[in-house]
Amino acid sequence: MRKRFKRLMLIIFTGIISIFVLILSVSFINHKIQLSKEEELFVPTGQLVEVNGHQMHVYTEGNGEETLVFMSGGGTSSPVLDFKSLYSLLSDKYRIVVIEKAGYGFSEVTDTDRDIDTILSETREALLKSGVEGPYILFPHSMSGIEALNWAQVYPDEIKAIIGLDMAVPAAYENFDINMSLVRLGAFAANTGLTRWITNLSESDAIKYGTLTDEEKELYKAIFYRRTSTKDMINEIKNIKANAQKVKEAGTPSVPILLFSSNGQETGFDEKRWIEIQNNFSNKNDNARLIELDSSHYIHNIEYGRIAEESKEFIESLNR
């Protein structure tokens, strides 16, 4: 009886494994077929430049005297489309630039280091090779706030101001527990096409709340299935605590800073703690001012109208 039971359990276990492998195989094949169909959509809207042995995508719009550089949050599949609702309200007065780091948007996926020095070096080189010179006003979202602060610390003459879009500051990562197993599981799901079976997963806030056209929404989805949990994105997460610590040790740069803060929702942090961190950073820095918004984390897709107007007033005040 015991032998029969063991044999039955082995058969059941083998059957489950076989079904799982079959599902993965079907999902992977479907993913490759869909990627092939979506290839015609995957056409860069800006300029590709070679940086550190790989291609980086730089999008520009407008011809104003001030140059606004948009820097995406960690894991944002398509920075160019993610920021569009906001920068389209600013490009009539300013020169808009969106940098897509390695592994994001139309930029290549790489195996390069994602320490903060490498990221900054690649960003600056991509700008220079695109013919975009400073000084710059940075618009970092979320995790790229660490990169923006570092840029202003190391090259203060290049940065005129920072306008943070619910940007992260070093204190956010001091006690933040990163579950790398869960991060890698997300990458596995993306690479095998399992993400295609999850309803509305590709419906970003840019699609749900922004001003993208139907064609741009389809392009965003096509990019999402190519640029979700890429190697570069995962390596950024692995390095973020060390990067944040380096920025903390260097101190807050002495450039004007305007912060727009969310209500803490969808930040991945405790909501009250996120708002507290934003307020602490602002209160401890004479050059910083905080505007709190009743919006979830991707504030530039929801409160783009108000952010555009407040940003214009802030930028104009820099020249008075």
Side-chain angles (χ1 to χ4, degrees), residues 261 274-284 290 292:
S261 173
W274 178 263
I275 297 171
E276 181 183 21
I277 289 171
Q278 297 281 315
N279 275 284
N280 287 344
F281 181 86
S282 175
N283 294 335
K284 291 178 181 179
L290 175 67
E292 294 187 43

Side-chain angles (χ1 to χ4, degrees), residues 15-29 194:
I16 292 173
I17 294 298
S18 298
I19 292 172
F20 181 68
V21 171
L22 177 62
I23 291 173
L24 283 181
S25 299
V26 171
S27 179
F28 182 73
I29 292 171
L194 290 174

Side-chain angles (χ1 to χ4, degrees), residues 146 169-170 173 239-249:
I146 300 299
V169 297
Y173 296 104
N239 281 277
I240 186 57
K241 290 178 76 74
N243 289 343
Q245 180 61 29
K246 185 171 183 176
V247 171
K248 177 185 176 182
E249 292 172 356

Side-chain angles (χ1 to χ4, degrees), residues 159-163 253-258 287-288 314 318:
I159 308 304
K160 190 169 184 177
I162 296 174
I163 298 179
S254 58
V255 298
I257 301 175
L258 175 62
N287 293 320
F314 175 72
L318 298 175

Side-chain angles (χ1 to χ4, degrees), residues 72-171:
S72 71
T76 300
S77 301
S78 176
V80 168
L81 294 176
D82 179 63
F83 286 122
K84 184 177 184 293
S85 297
L86 176 56
Y87 68 65
S88 62
L89 298 178
L90 299 169
S91 59
D92 60 331
K93 295 190 65 174
Y94 313 109
R95 187 179 192 187
I96 303 300
V97 186
V98 183
I99 296 288
E100 295 193 320
K101 295 179 292 185
Y104 288 72
F106 294 109
S107 294
E108 284 186 316
V109 178
T110 76
D111 287 312
T112 57
D113 292 332
R114 294 293 89 190
D115 62 278
I116 201 160
D117 294 328
T118 300
I119 294 174
L120 177 57
S121 174
E122 291 184 355
T123 297
R124 294 178 68 244
E125 186 175 350
L127 285 171
L128 292 177
K129 286 191 172 182
S130 301
V132 180
E133 298 181 351
Y136 312 110
I137 297 175
L138 306 181
F139 277 70
H141 173 237
S142 193
M143 195 164 73
S144 66
I146 300 299
E147 299 162 29
L149 291 171
N150 176 246
W151 196 344
Q153 290 167 343
V154 181
Y155 300 100
D157 292 341
E158 295 182 5
I159 308 304
K160 190 169 184 177
I162 296 174
I163 298 179
L165 303 173
D166 210 28
M167 78 177 201
V169 297

